[in-house]
């Protein structure tokens, strides 16, 4: 049985690599919390002290109220990457903060479509939990975000 090796690199910010011979067969499923993506440019990476200011959205992306860009393609890529583990996948968190409810329907449709495409392409997705049915308290944002 081959080893499980996880590694990723964020240029000039982090390199993470982990290998565990037991990990591949130790989980019943893997959970994915997926909301969005960001990109990093060298200027922001080197000049901003606050991590959130180092992360950028692409121009003209649809933003949530958090603010995070809506990027359903990313959940497809994440699911296809996780499918290499050959264990069931549960999307344990995915949703949008949308005070006026003018983007929620589009967000859910696009993310569910991307997830269904991943399933058709071989990802073993066995569950999906939308975040959230109702509004809640966010540690950083307080009770100002509208999820439900």
């Amino acid at each position: 049985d081959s080893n499980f090796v996880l590694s990723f690199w964020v240029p000039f910010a982090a390199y993470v690599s982990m290998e565990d011979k037991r990990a591949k067969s130790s989980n019943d499923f893997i959970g994915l919390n997926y909301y969005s993506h960001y990109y990093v440019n060298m200027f922001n990476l080197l000049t901003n002290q606050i991590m959130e200011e180092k992360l950028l959205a692409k121009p003209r992306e649809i933003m949530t109220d958090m603010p995070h860009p809506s990027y359903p393609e990313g959940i497809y890529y994440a699911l296809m990457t996780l499918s290499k583990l050959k264990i069931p996948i549960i999307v344990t968190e995915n949703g949008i903060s949308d005070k006026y409810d003018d983007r929620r329907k589009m967000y859910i449709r696009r993310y569910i479509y991307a997830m269904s495409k991943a399933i058709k392409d071989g990802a073993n997705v066995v569950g999906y939990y939308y975040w959230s049915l109702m509004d809640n308290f966010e540690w950083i944002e307080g009770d100002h975000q509208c999820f439900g």
Side-chain angles (χ1 to χ4, degrees):
D1 202 16
S2 61
N3 295 348
F4 170 71
V5 178
L6 172 68
S7 62
F8 66 90
W9 179 58
V10 178
F12 305 103
Y15 175 76
V16 176
S17 181
M18 190 261 322
E19 179 176 353
D20 187 338
K21 294 178 183 180
R22 302 163 297 151
K24 189 172 182 182
S25 61
S26 66
N27 292 317
D28 296 326
F29 71 92
I30 188 158
L32 172 65
N33 291 5
Y34 186 87
Y35 292 93
S36 189
H37 77 131
Y38 288 98
Y39 73 96
V40 179
N41 78 22
M42 188 60 67
F43 178 76
N44 278 359
L45 187 65
L46 298 175
T47 60
N48 286 322
Q49 299 298 315
I50 300 170
M51 181 54 102
E52 288 78 15
E53 293 177 5
K54 295 179 184 205
L55 306 173
L56 303 169
K58 293 181 179 179
R60 296 185 303 278
E61 285 189 301
I62 298 168
M63 301 297 287
T64 70
D65 292 347
M66 283 297 280
H68 303 302
S70 177
Y71 187 69
E73 297 91 336
I75 199 169
Y76 171 84
Y77 297 128
L79 290 168
M80 295 311 295
T81 299
L82 290 175
S83 70
K84 295 174 186 174
L85 297 174
K86 306 287 188 213
I87 59 175
I89 303 164
I90 299 174
V91 178
T92 48
E93 280 191 26
N94 175 250
I96 182 174
S97 175
D98 182 10
K99 183 176 183 178
Y100 299 108
D101 250 350
D102 58 355
R103 292 155 286 162
R104 188 178 324 278
K105 182 177 178 180
M106 176 183 61
Y107 181 97
I108 293 170
R109 281 185 172 185
R110 288 182 176 179
Y111 277 77
I112 295 293
Y113 173 80
M115 186 172 55
S116 72
K117 183 168 175 15
I119 292 168
K120 287 177 187 172
D121 291 346
N124 185 14
V125 179
V126 298
Y128 174 85
Y129 294 95
Y130 177 77
W131 184 260
S132 171
L133 173 65
M134 61 190 100
D135 297 340
N136 64 294
F137 181 83
E138 291 285 319
W139 288 108
I140 295 175
E141 304 290 336
D143 61 358
H144 304 295
Q145 298 298 323
C146 297
F147 296 95

